[in-house]
Amino acid sequence: MQDRTFRRISVIGLGYIGLPTAAMFASRKIEVVGVDVNPRAVDTINRGEIHIVEPDLDMVVHAAVKEGYLRATMAVEPAEAFLIAVPTPFRGEKHEPDLSYVEAASAAIAPVLAPGNLVILESTSPVGATEAMAGWLAEARPDLTFPQTHGDASDIRIAHCPERVLPGKVMQELISNDRVIGGMTRACSELAVRLYRTFVTGDCVVASSPRVAEMCKLTENSFRDVNIAFANELSIICDKLDVDVWELIRLANRHPRVNILQPGPGVGGHCIAVDPWFIVSSAPDEARLIRTAREVNDAKPVWVLSKVREAIGTYLMENPGKTAADVSLAIYGLTFKPDIDDMRESPALAIARRLVSDHPGPVLVVEPNIASLPVSLQSAMLEDDWPNAADVHVMLVDHSSFKGRSRPKGHLIDARGIWANLKCP
Ligand code: SAJ
């Protein structure tokens, strides 16, 4: 039988996490009101369409809107549960977390809060953010009681439940991943578990506090960042020592307790390149390894660029009489990882931008997942097919459609190891 505790759920922020989550609740026949400050997003969703790219999201949103379970608006309405899924970027040289969107969302929902309501912070947040949110809500609504002062007897329940889904697989992972739920009190956690149980088949694991849940999410992404940094550093060392890093990793990974990740042109996306900074900025003297990993990964695109320049120099030495303007470049991939169209914080895009602005010769970009080049690359040529010829080839993203292609002739910088030695000796 369906749990009727939540007749209406409000999701604040209809982006990469908020919209799929809203659609998921709505697919379980619960009324969902999505709130966003972007009128274009609101209109698009109300037409049953989506403004972001994520496999299978379009049909779930379409069905939910058509059946009347999901609608979007710019004004907050009363609900039994509020999920806040707004951006939490960092700002400044010290990478301080910017909680202004969470603060604005708190200010927006505070006027409509009523006793018995549940407020969940889903955005990836620095440790202490949920308590700060509880403080902002309490300040705005002195007529209500909150868990920080009234414990399990509070009018309002508050929890942190970080999203952990992988872009590209959001619709599966939302259902099947385990959820970490950090309520401010036991009653808060129990109500939050009840909410997620409406569609989550993974375990809903209760953390002893929101702080543990906040740190848990930051730790997961930092763990991955540190491991990718290890692979990226190894690739630079191996290049110097004339060792094939992909062969090396494949061999080392045959050890039962070694599992090295893959080097690449750097770390992109809006999560792994951001979240570790929340740990670093809260413990700058202690978080030495986490900071260094960020620096190693951020420096990788610069190293790839230096290898491209080196290859152009070698080509010119081999072809006396030619100038840099005669050298054609082919760049393979712009997205932040394979088989998506998302270019946010993409190291491949950063490398391409720099090459297009600095290189005087022709630049081809092969990117099958986009229809047109971003404005910053307008002087390049977009190819969705394999180019016939180029003097220097720069492989940046291992899209499935690139694999199995024969190694292009000419100089090659293969940042993804597509054409690495695949056979074990
Ligand atoms: N990358 C490598 N080498 C690897 C693996 C990844 O260079 O071996 C690069 C990718 O090319 C990409 C970047 O790292 O540029 C990040 O890609 P990703 O697939 O590792 O992760 P995201 O950013 O798409 O999603 C991560 C996930 N976190 C973890 O796997 C610990 C996801 O579960 C989180 O929900 C998401 O961050 C988030 O929203 O925080």
Side-chain angles (χ1 to χ4, degrees), residues 163-165 167 217 221 224 261-262 268 271 336-337 416:
E163 60 79 14
R164 309 156 98 191
V165 287
K217 170 63 197 262
N221 279 353
R224 198 151 168 83
L261 293 180
Q262 296 300 300
C271 310
F336 88 83
K337 62 181 187 176
R416 292 286 183 178

Side-chain angles (χ1 to χ4, degrees), residues 305-388:
L305 279 167
S306 72
K307 296 304 288 181
V308 178
R309 291 193 188 106
E310 205 177 291
I312 294 171
T314 310
Y315 176 88
L316 290 174
M317 279 203 312
E318 290 165 355
N319 294 275
K322 287 204 174 187
T323 68
D326 303 316
V327 182
S328 58
L329 299 184
I331 297 172
Y332 301 82
L334 293 178
T335 57
F336 88 83
K337 62 181 187 176
D339 302 329
I340 57 168
D341 69 346
D342 192 341
M343 293 186 278
R344 286 179 297 168
E345 313 299 327
S346 168
L349 180 62
I351 291 167
R353 272 195 187 124
R354 180 46 73 92
L355 290 175
V356 167
S357 78
D358 291 0
H359 182 63
V363 181
L364 295 174
V365 175
V366 188
E367 179 45 89
N369 299 305
I370 58 169
S372 60
L373 283 175
V375 182
S376 55
L377 300 183
Q378 283 304 320
S379 63
M381 279 233 321
L382 178 65
E383 300 264 346
D384 54 6
D385 205 1
W386 215 239
N388 287 332

Side-chain angles (χ1 to χ4, degrees), residues 118-192:
L118 170 67
V119 181
I120 294 189
L121 179 60
E122 276 224 9
S123 314
T124 303
S125 297
V127 174
T130 309
E131 291 161 353
M133 181 184 80
W136 294 322
L137 293 173
E139 215 174 290
R141 290 297 302 271
D143 55 317
L144 294 171
T145 60
F146 287 82
Q148 61 270 36
T149 48
H150 288 71
D152 270 345
S154 65
D155 289 332
I156 305 297
R157 310 286 193 214
I158 295 180
H160 179 55
C161 180
E163 60 79 14
R164 309 156 98 191
V165 287
L166 194 70
K169 285 194 181 163
V170 168
M171 299 312 274
Q172 293 118 276
E173 290 206 354
L174 264 180
I175 298 172
S176 59
N177 282 5
D178 293 345
R179 297 295 302 227
V180 171
I181 295 174
M184 288 186 70
T185 64
R186 207 162 52 155
C188 296
S189 295
E190 278 168 10
L191 195 58

